[in-house]
Amino acid sequence: MNQVTIQWDAVIALYILFSWCHGGITNINCSGHIWVEPATIFKMGMNISIYCQAAIKNCQPRKLHFYKNGIKERFQITRINKTTARLWYKNFLEPHASMYCTAECPKHFQETLICGKDISSGYPPDIPDEVTCVIYEYSGNMTCTWNAGKLTYIDTKYVVHVKSLETEEEQQYLTSSYINISTDSLQGGKKYLVWVQAANALGMEESKQLQIHLDDIVIPSAAVISRAETINATVPKTIIYWDSQTTIEKVSCEMRYKATTNQTWND
Ligand SMILES: *[C@@H]1O[C@H](CO)[C@@H](O)[C@H](O)[C@H]1NC(C)=O
Ligand SMILES: *[C@@H]1O[C@H](CO)[C@@H](O)[C@H](O)[C@H]1NC(C)=O
Ligand SMILES: *[C@@H]1O[C@H](CO)[C@@H](O)[C@H](O)[C@H]1NC(C)=O
Ligand SMILES: *[C@@H]1O[C@H](CO)[C@@H](O)[C@H](O)[C@H]1NC(C)=O
Ligand SMILES: *[C@@H]1O[C@H](CO)[C@@H](O)[C@H](O)[C@H]1NC(C)=O
Ligand SMILES: *[C@@H]1O[C@H](CO)[C@@H](O)[C@H](O)[C@H]1NC(C)=O
Ligand SMILES: *[C@@H]1O[C@H](CO)[C@@H](O)[C@H](O)[C@H]1NC(C)=O
């Protein structure tokens, strides 16, 4: 017999135990079935229905109960037929919730666990924009970033496409935020097209294509100030010495200074 009969505070303990040990309520042995309409992952703010169907040996449930995050729901429950009940939520806004349902069986003092499910709500990804790729000098990496737009609340993956304009070869990199691409792997010449695809359970979007030339995206490494010297003259003078760390030609340096007593920088 695969059913679990427990008191309802024990049900909470069991729910927490299973959530922590197995990363979700879906790992419990079910004596029935729980499902969500329109889907387990849905758009935030939708109206949803959660159905619970009991299949417990020798039990015609007197009552079916729903729990959200271990707390019993008291409203918007409709009994559909002998085995099934429905819980309705209007405008559901929580990004994550763990649901389970139980049955009251005749001659059983305690509720019997039927099944559980983790549900999530969120948004489809926005179109990734402001795709930018830079090579920090000496890093050996091309770092590509983009503006992902509004928070989706659900697992969203990004695929960075890098296509050589010379060889037409395309490489794809899967990531959950930005990506570092080793410059050694960019063997298809200097010119590339880069674009980013965003996808989650609720949708998929693709950015515009960015054309890059590897020589134009290098960010020179910062100069290091080695010495500052103040000369006593009629007009006091300060000389700043720096070591340029870059091998890139035609780089100019800018200097800003400010008095420690004044918040304004001077260029
Ligand atoms: C769930 O069912 C499996 C197979 O029937 C069994 O091995 C396992 O012990 C059960 N787990 C619980 C928590 O009842
Ligand atoms: C949710 O249900 C309410 C009441 O039945 C309705 O007014 C509203 O339009 C529904 N919302 C959505 C997103 O379907
Ligand atoms: C009870 O209703 C559910 C949901 O509509 C359905 O799947 C199931 O077959 C019904 N069961 C019986 C015994 O009518
Ligand atoms: C380049 O990227 C790789 C992979 O993301 C990372 O392990 C490495 O530390 C990066 N190199 C530098 C110099 O930041
Ligand atoms: C990616 O590269 C940048 C610059 O080289 C470095 O600062 C960063 O730590 C790297 N990130 C990862 C995840 O390796
Ligand atoms: C600059 O002149 C002032 C006053 O004459 C003196 O106190 C100070 O030590 C001098 N500073 C340097 C760096 O020579
Ligand atoms: C700070 O510097 C700015 C620009 O040099 C100047 O206009 C301003 O009066 C200074 N403020 C103070 C509090 O010295």
Side-chain angles (χ1 to χ4, degrees):
M1 203 165 72
N2 258 347
Q3 74 201 52
V4 193
T5 307
I6 28 193
Q7 269 170 319
W8 98 264
D9 55 344
V11 171
I12 296 174
L14 187 86
Y15 144 73
I16 292 169
L17 186 73
F18 273 101
S19 296
W20 287 357
C21 298
H22 302 283
I25 197 150
T26 43
N27 288 295
I28 54 178
N29 283 337
C30 292
S31 309
H33 186 39
I34 186 166
W35 72 97
V36 186
E37 282 179 9
T40 307
I41 302 174
F42 51 89
K43 198 165 165 197
M44 206 171 260
M46 283 187 81
N47 298 335
I48 59 165
S49 293
I50 298 172
Y51 292 85
C52 179
Q53 185 171 38
I56 307 166
K57 271 180 209 155
N58 309 319
C59 167
Q60 184 80 259
R62 273 191 283 134
K63 224 172 162 192
L64 295 165
H65 300 282
F66 288 88
Y67 293 82
K68 184 180 80 186
N69 298 330
I71 295 163
K72 195 178 233 163
E73 293 292 355
R74 308 214 170 262
F75 305 105
Q76 304 286 4
I77 296 168
T78 317
R79 186 71 177 257
I80 293 175
N81 57 35
K82 282 179 179 162
T83 58
T84 310
R86 183 184 77 176
L87 169 64
W88 188 74
Y89 285 116
K90 182 181 165 175
N91 189 27
F92 196 93
L93 291 171
E94 289 167 52
H96 301 287
S98 281
M99 302 296 312
Y100 64 81
C101 59
T102 62
E104 268 179 37
C105 295
K107 293 183 207 143
H108 285 226
F109 177 63
Q110 297 134 337
E111 293 174 18
T112 303
L113 186 60
I114 297 171
C115 204
K117 201 166 214 77
D118 293 318
I119 65 176
S120 336
S121 77
Y123 296 106
D126 279 346
I127 298 171
D129 68 353
E130 294 165 31
V131 178
T132 311
C133 294
V134 297
I135 298 173
Y136 293 103
E137 198 181 9
Y138 304 121
S139 77
N141 286 327
M142 176 169 81
T143 305
C144 293
T145 57
W146 53 91
N147 177 3
K150 74 168 176 304
L151 193 61
T152 63
Y153 297 98
I154 53 174
D155 185 34
T156 303
K157 292 284 184 225
Y158 297 89
V159 178
V160 182
H161 296 253
V162 180
K163 184 178 179 181
S164 162
L165 282 173
E166 285 167 38
T167 64
E168 299 270 300
E169 234 173 285
E170 186 184 317
Q171 296 193 57
Q172 298 182 2
Y173 303 88
L174 182 70
T175 179
S176 47
S177 59
Y178 71 102
I179 185 102
N180 277 344
I181 298 166
S182 164
T183 48
D184 293 339
S185 68
L186 299 170
Q187 297 288 346
K190 296 278 195 189
K191 284 180 174 172
Y192 294 88
L193 281 180
V194 179
W195 69 97
V196 178
Q197 242 173 8
N200 65 26
L202 299 175
M204 178 146 96
E205 292 291 353
E206 195 169 289
S207 74
K208 283 191 284 198
Q209 294 190 330
L210 169 76
Q211 189 173 330
I212 56 168
H213 190 292
L214 293 189
D215 289 344
D216 295 343
I217 60 169
V218 180
I219 308 260
S221 45
V224 177
I225 291 175
S226 51
R227 192 150 64 96
E229 181 176 277
T230 301
I231 296 170
N232 263 349
T234 13
V235 179
K237 240 185 187 174
T238 298
I239 302 172
I240 308 285
Y241 298 85
W242 68 84
D243 298 323
S244 174
Q245 304 281 303
T246 183
T247 56
I248 305 167
E249 286 168 33
K250 290 184 287 190
V251 172
S252 63
C253 290
E254 284 177 13
M255 197 191 76
R256 327 169 74 198
Y257 65 91
K258 74 177 178 76
T260 44
T261 51
N262 192 323
Q263 296 302 310
T264 315
W265 283 91
N266 302 291
D267 291 303

